[in-house]
PDB file of all heavy atoms in Angstrom:
ATOM      1  N   PRO E 245      19.504   8.952  15.528  1.00 91.00           N
ATOM      2  CA  PRO E 245      18.933   9.692  16.656  1.00 91.00           C
ATOM      3  C   PRO E 245      17.412   9.514  16.654  1.00 91.00           C
ATOM      4  O   PRO E 245      16.741   9.914  15.712  1.00 91.00           O
ATOM      5  CB  PRO E 245      19.315  11.142  16.350  1.00 91.00           C
ATOM      6  CG  PRO E 245      19.423  11.206  14.861  1.00 91.00           C
ATOM      7  CD  PRO E 245      19.761   9.827  14.364  1.00 91.00           C
ATOM      8  N   VAL E 246      16.850   8.924  17.695  1.00 87.00           N
ATOM      9  CA  VAL E 246      15.426   8.570  17.663  1.00 87.00           C
ATOM     10  C   VAL E 246      14.506   9.763  17.846  1.00 87.00           C
ATOM     11  O   VAL E 246      13.352   9.730  17.424  1.00 87.00           O
ATOM     12  CB  VAL E 246      15.111   7.490  18.722  1.00 87.00           C
ATOM     13  CG1 VAL E 246      15.845   6.208  18.404  1.00 87.00           C
ATOM     14  CG2 VAL E 246      15.459   7.969  20.116  1.00 87.00           C
ATOM     15  N   SER E 247      14.997  10.843  18.469  1.00 82.00           N
ATOM     16  CA  SER E 247      14.169  12.030  18.653  1.00 82.00           C
ATOM     17  C   SER E 247      15.067  13.220  18.952  1.00 82.00           C
ATOM     18  O   SER E 247      16.225  13.056  19.370  1.00 82.00           O
ATOM     19  CB  SER E 247      13.185  11.832  19.818  1.00 82.00           C
ATOM     20  OG  SER E 247      13.886  11.768  21.039  1.00 82.00           O
ATOM     21  N   PRO E 248      14.577  14.455  18.740  1.00 83.00           N
ATOM     22  CA  PRO E 248      15.392  15.635  19.058  1.00 83.00           C
ATOM     23  C   PRO E 248      15.796  15.681  20.530  1.00 83.00           C
ATOM     24  O   PRO E 248      16.938  16.029  20.862  1.00 83.00           O
ATOM     25  CB  PRO E 248      14.469  16.806  18.696  1.00 83.00           C
ATOM     26  CG  PRO E 248      13.525  16.248  17.682  1.00 83.00           C
ATOM     27  CD  PRO E 248      13.300  14.817  18.099  1.00 83.00           C
ATOM     28  N   GLU E 249      14.855  15.302  21.420  1.00 79.00           N
ATOM     29  CA  GLU E 249      15.155  15.338  22.850  1.00 79.00           C
ATOM     30  C   GLU E 249      16.233  14.340  23.237  1.00 79.00           C
ATOM     31  O   GLU E 249      17.001  14.567  24.180  1.00 79.00           O
ATOM     32  CB  GLU E 249      13.884  15.057  23.659  1.00 79.00           C
ATOM     33  CG  GLU E 249      12.775  16.090  23.486  1.00 79.00           C
ATOM     34  CD  GLU E 249      11.899  15.824  22.287  1.00 79.00           C
ATOM     35  OE1 GLU E 249      12.206  14.894  21.514  1.00 79.00           O
ATOM     36  OE2 GLU E 249      10.913  16.553  22.113  1.00 79.00           O
ATOM     37  N   ALA E 250      16.325  13.244  22.491  1.00 81.00           N
ATOM     38  CA  ALA E 250      17.269  12.185  22.846  1.00 81.00           C
ATOM     39  C   ALA E 250      18.720  12.609  22.665  1.00 81.00           C
ATOM     40  O   ALA E 250      19.615  12.026  23.274  1.00 81.00           O
ATOM     41  CB  ALA E 250      16.997  10.934  22.008  1.00 81.00           C
ATOM     42  N   ILE E 251      18.956  13.631  21.828  1.00 81.00           N
ATOM     43  CA  ILE E 251      20.337  14.057  21.605  1.00 81.00           C
ATOM     44  C   ILE E 251      20.596  15.456  22.154  1.00 81.00           C
ATOM     45  O   ILE E 251      21.626  16.060  21.855  1.00 81.00           O
ATOM     46  CB  ILE E 251      20.692  14.017  20.110  1.00 81.00           C
ATOM     47  CG1 ILE E 251      19.717  14.855  19.297  1.00 81.00           C
ATOM     48  CG2 ILE E 251      20.732  12.596  19.606  1.00 81.00           C
ATOM     49  CD1 ILE E 251      20.108  14.974  17.844  1.00 81.00           C
ATOM     50  N   GLY E 252      19.658  15.976  22.951  1.00 77.00           N
ATOM     51  CA  GLY E 252      19.922  17.218  23.663  1.00 77.00           C
ATOM     52  C   GLY E 252      19.176  18.437  23.187  1.00 77.00           C
ATOM     53  O   GLY E 252      19.342  19.521  23.761  1.00 77.00           O
ATOM     54  N   PHE E 253      18.358  18.329  22.142  1.00 73.00           N
ATOM     55  CA  PHE E 253      17.559  19.473  21.708  1.00 73.00           C
ATOM     56  C   PHE E 253      16.409  19.680  22.679  1.00 73.00           C
ATOM     57  O   PHE E 253      15.695  18.732  23.015  1.00 73.00           O
ATOM     58  CB  PHE E 253      16.983  19.239  20.310  1.00 73.00           C
ATOM     59  CG  PHE E 253      17.953  19.501  19.191  1.00 73.00           C
ATOM     60  CD1 PHE E 253      18.514  18.450  18.490  1.00 73.00           C
ATOM     61  CD2 PHE E 253      18.293  20.799  18.839  1.00 73.00           C
ATOM     62  CE1 PHE E 253      19.396  18.677  17.459  1.00 73.00           C
ATOM     63  CE2 PHE E 253      19.182  21.040  17.805  1.00 73.00           C
ATOM     64  CZ  PHE E 253      19.738  19.972  17.117  1.00 73.00           C
ATOM     65  N   GLU E 254      16.202  20.927  23.101  1.00 65.00           N
ATOM     66  CA  GLU E 254      15.047  21.275  23.909  1.00 65.00           C
ATOM     67  C   GLU E 254      13.954  21.754  22.958  1.00 65.00           C
ATOM     68  O   GLU E 254      14.137  22.715  22.215  1.00 65.00           O
ATOM     69  CB  GLU E 254      15.384  22.388  24.906  1.00 65.00           C
ATOM     70  CG  GLU E 254      16.361  21.956  25.982  1.00 65.00           C
ATOM     71  CD  GLU E 254      15.763  20.918  26.919  1.00 65.00           C
ATOM     72  OE1 GLU E 254      14.514  20.856  26.986  1.00 65.00           O
ATOM     73  OE2 GLU E 254      16.530  20.184  27.572  1.00 65.00           O
ATOM     74  N   LYS E 255      12.810  21.083  22.950  1.00 55.00           N
ATOM     75  CA  LYS E 255      11.759  21.370  21.983  1.00 55.00           C
ATOM     76  C   LYS E 255      11.287  22.817  22.045  1.00 55.00           C
ATOM     77  O   LYS E 255      11.141  23.480  21.019  1.00 55.00           O
ATOM     78  CB  LYS E 255      10.577  20.433  22.226  1.00 55.00           C
ATOM     79  CG  LYS E 255       9.473  20.581  21.193  1.00 55.00           C
ATOM     80  CD  LYS E 255       8.289  19.707  21.547  1.00 55.00           C
ATOM     81  CE  LYS E 255       8.727  18.268  21.656  1.00 55.00           C
ATOM     82  NZ  LYS E 255       7.594  17.382  22.007  1.00 55.00           N
ATOM     83  N   GLU E 256      11.081  23.329  23.247  1.00 52.00           N
ATOM     84  CA  GLU E 256      10.567  24.691  23.380  1.00 52.00           C
ATOM     85  C   GLU E 256      11.565  25.703  22.812  1.00 52.00           C
ATOM     86  O   GLU E 256      11.190  26.634  22.106  1.00 52.00           O
ATOM     87  CB  GLU E 256      10.276  25.004  24.847  1.00 52.00           C
ATOM     88  CG  GLU E 256       9.128  24.194  25.451  1.00 52.00           C
ATOM     89  CD  GLU E 256       9.531  22.765  25.796  1.00 52.00           C
ATOM     90  OE1 GLU E 256      10.729  22.457  25.693  1.00 52.00           O
ATOM     91  OE2 GLU E 256       8.640  21.980  26.152  1.00 52.00           O
ATOM     92  N   GLU E 257      12.855  25.477  23.093  1.00 49.00           N
ATOM     93  CA  GLU E 257      13.864  26.403  22.596  1.00 49.00           C
ATOM     94  C   GLU E 257      13.959  26.340  21.083  1.00 49.00           C
ATOM     95  O   GLU E 257      14.114  27.354  20.410  1.00 49.00           O
ATOM     96  CB  GLU E 257      15.229  26.074  23.226  1.00 49.00           C
ATOM     97  CG  GLU E 257      15.286  26.290  24.720  1.00 49.00           C
ATOM     98  CD  GLU E 257      16.651  25.914  25.281  1.00 49.00           C
ATOM     99  OE1 GLU E 257      17.535  25.551  24.485  1.00 49.00           O
ATOM    100  OE2 GLU E 257      16.827  25.998  26.509  1.00 49.00           O
TER     101      GLU E 257
END
Side-chain angles (χ1 to χ4, degrees):
V246 296
S247 68
E249 297 85 354
I251 56 174
F253 280 106
E254 293 293 338
K255 185 184 303 180
E256 293 77 7
E257 295 179 3

